[in-house]
Amino acid sequence: MNPISIGVIGCGNISDAYFGGAARSKLVRVKACADLNHAAAQAKAAQYGVAAVSVEQLLADPEISIVINLTIPQAHAPVALQVLDAGKHVYLEKPLAATLKEARTVMARAEAQGLRVGCAPDTFFGAAHQACRRVLDRGLIGKPVGGSVAVLSHGMESWHPNPEFFFKPGGGPILDMGPYYIAQLVNLLGPVARVVACTSIGNATRTVTSEPLNGQLIQVEVPTTMNGVLEFVSGANVAMSASWDVWAHKRSFIEIYGTEGSLLGVNPNFFGGVPMVCKPNEDWQPVDISAHPFGQDNRALRSGAQVADYRIVGLLDMAAAIRQGRAHRASGALALHVLEVLEAFERSSITGAHITMESSCAQSDAVPLGAGEEVFA
Ligand SMILES: NC(=O)c1ccc[n+]([C@@H]2O[C@H](COP(=O)([O-])OP(=O)(O)OC[C@H]3O[C@@H](n4cnc5c(N)ncnc54)[C@H](O)[C@@H]3O)[C@@H](O)[C@H]2O)c1
């Protein structure tokens, strides 16, 4: 079958993961890329053998049926609406939009046009996270009752070449890192019923220490520390901490406590790792993830550590799902629910109240066992 032609809008830092992932895939082919900064599009076009065009040219190309939107969060909704108005499906980097209101507009437009919205994160497709899902689906720790999630570091101004957007609406540890954790929690436990939280800003300004903007001052406009609780429709409740004000800690990424045992998950920013299960009065045992796709290490981090990173599989699943007439897993509905949860943390802190979710979403089907993208075929 011919690969589906796709376009990429936004040729910055994360775009290499998508260009590289698409180049390895039989399901899609990047035909063209565009960026407000045309030089950025030209550089990626030369590197990956695609055409650099203007946003308008890309949207006017009848051969392109799906556009990946890798712009900054503030541009996610405006660019997604342009894509939908051009009659094309859109797949975005997270968060779905900078605000829930914008995200709802995007979803309503897609529904009116009969088009699909897909959205990162797709890390929950990863072998380690799907293996955790299988542990729960098979009842190995009984009924999930509680849990704990921690995403704690000291922020982005030390490495990203243009880190300002991380501290503006749509950024911050809640909206920037939160989607990985909430998407995985929904994958494991289903939709959220309500949340409560306290938030704060550690430093009103941040000084960039990465190049080329070393020394530039950023005004922080979003909370940088949050402690909250999520209550799921299933009845389970999970404590979540998200912060970019933390220099050191000893908490694990994600833990689920069930009536018959505990599950220790792995970093939901990546796809691999070794989850652990502990049954009552026994020792922790590793969970075998080898039967699941998307778990082999394939990328070196700046630290030199090897990780499994298959960003783009959510888009590949959407491309296959369009052909097969089935639902895709990294859906706009999931991303909208995730965004509502994340926005509710701050609203809860401001109002002092529990915030009940208006949106919901189906827990997506588990990713089939297998070796690679053929599991979508
Ligand atoms: N950098 C990462 O490691 C990473 C990881 C996962 C997800 N993300 C997400 O990916 C998105 C992009 O992040 P990034 O780090 O690549 O940012 P970036 O600033 O490096 O790149 C964004 C690009 O989008 C372009 N752009 C902005 N507005 C545009 C518009 N209206 N039309 C066309 N082009 C436009 C910019 O010129 C820039 O080249 C963000 O939502 C971020 O949260 C980033």
Side-chain angles (χ1 to χ4, degrees):
M1 211 180 279
N2 288 337
I4 295 180
S5 287
I6 62 175
V8 173
I9 301 181
C11 297
N13 203 272
I14 197 62
S15 66
D16 288 308
Y18 286 85
F19 285 113
R24 289 192 301 271
S25 171
K26 293 193 191 81
L27 293 172
V28 297
R29 158 187 95 102
V30 179
K31 185 178 179 198
C33 65
D35 196 295
L36 273 186
N37 169 9
H38 192 58
Q42 282 174 317
K44 297 300 173 193
Q47 190 177 347
Y48 295 100
V50 308
V53 296
S54 68
V55 171
E56 291 68 29
Q57 284 170 323
L58 189 150
L59 295 177
D61 186 333
E63 209 189 319
I64 292 174
S65 58
I66 306 176
V67 174
I68 310 185
N69 176 354
L70 304 178
T71 61
I72 57 172
Q74 291 87 339
H76 283 185
V79 170
L81 291 172
Q82 276 182 280
V83 173
L84 294 168
D85 288 344
K88 301 180 192 306
H89 308 286
V90 65
Y91 185 90
L92 301 94
E93 249 305 333
K94 49 79 195 165
L96 178 53
T99 65
L100 180 61
K101 192 167 170 233
E102 286 181 337
R104 286 189 171 128
T105 306
V106 170
M107 292 306 292
R109 188 75 57 87
E111 194 175 348
Q113 307 265 47
L115 292 165
R116 299 221 188 191
V117 177
C119 188
D122 55 5
T123 44
F124 71 88
F125 286 61
H129 309 302
Q130 291 291 321
C132 289
R133 167 76 180 268
R134 200 166 152 81
V135 165
L136 297 188
D137 287 354
R138 291 165 69 204
L140 294 186
I141 65 162
K143 178 179 155 54
V145 178
S148 166
V149 161
V151 48
L152 309 168
S153 74
H154 213 273
M156 311 307 230
E157 69 276 28
S158 60
W159 69 271
H160 194 280
N162 191 10
E164 185 167 32
F165 77 83
F166 286 116
F167 300 97
K168 302 296 175 189
I174 305 174
L175 257 67
D176 183 68
M177 294 305 294
Y180 297 108
Y181 292 76
I182 306 298
Q184 172 60 354
L185 285 173
V186 173
N187 173 48
L188 295 178
L189 301 173
V192 176
R194 63 176 185 160
V195 306
V196 65
C198 291
T199 66
S200 59
I201 294 180
N203 294 290
T205 59
R206 297 257 176 162
T207 305
V208 180
T209 55
S210 58
E211 297 301 338
L213 302 174
N214 200 337
Q216 191 186 77
L217 211 59
I218 299 174
Q219 300 293 329
V220 178
E221 293 178 20
V222 289
T224 49
T225 288
M226 185 283 292
N227 284 289
V229 179
L230 304 101
E231 185 176 57
F232 289 80
V233 173
S234 71
N237 59 68
V238 174
M240 175 166 176
S241 301
S243 178
W244 285 342
D245 294 314
V246 175
W247 290 111
H249 69 93
K250 290 195 173 189
R251 294 173 62 186
S252 42
F253 295 108
I254 183 162
E255 301 184 0
I256 304 293
Y257 315 123
T259 50
E260 292 166 42
S262 292
L263 170 66
L264 178 61
V266 299
N267 186 348
N269 199 0
F270 299 107
F271 288 68
V274 183
M276 309 277 279
V277 162
C278 194
K279 302 288 286 175
N281 307 314
E282 294 180 11
D283 290 332
W284 287 100
Q285 299 292 337
V287 176
D288 181 10
I289 69 164
S290 61
H292 296 267
F294 318 123
Q296 299 284 331
D297 289 350
N298 62 353
R299 182 185 149 197
L301 298 179
R302 281 184 306 279
S303 63
Q306 292 289 326
V307 292
D309 191 350
Y310 294 84
R311 279 179 169 77
I312 207 177
V313 295
L315 175 277
L316 300 181
D317 176 50
M318 184 168 104
I322 289 168
R323 283 198 165 149
Q324 295 160 358
R326 63 166 171 86
H328 57 285
R329 293 174 176 82
S331 67
L334 168 61
L336 184 119
H337 186 59
V338 166
L339 184 56
E340 185 180 13
V341 168
L342 297 170
E343 263 201 19
F345 286 135
E346 194 175 357
R347 264 176 63 213
S348 170
S349 181
I350 292 166
T351 61
H354 279 87
I355 308 291
T356 299
M357 296 302 102
E358 289 177 15
S359 70
S360 190
C361 65
Q363 194 183 21
S364 58
D365 290 345
V367 174
L369 301 179
E373 70 172 45
E374 63 276 7
V375 297
F376 303 132

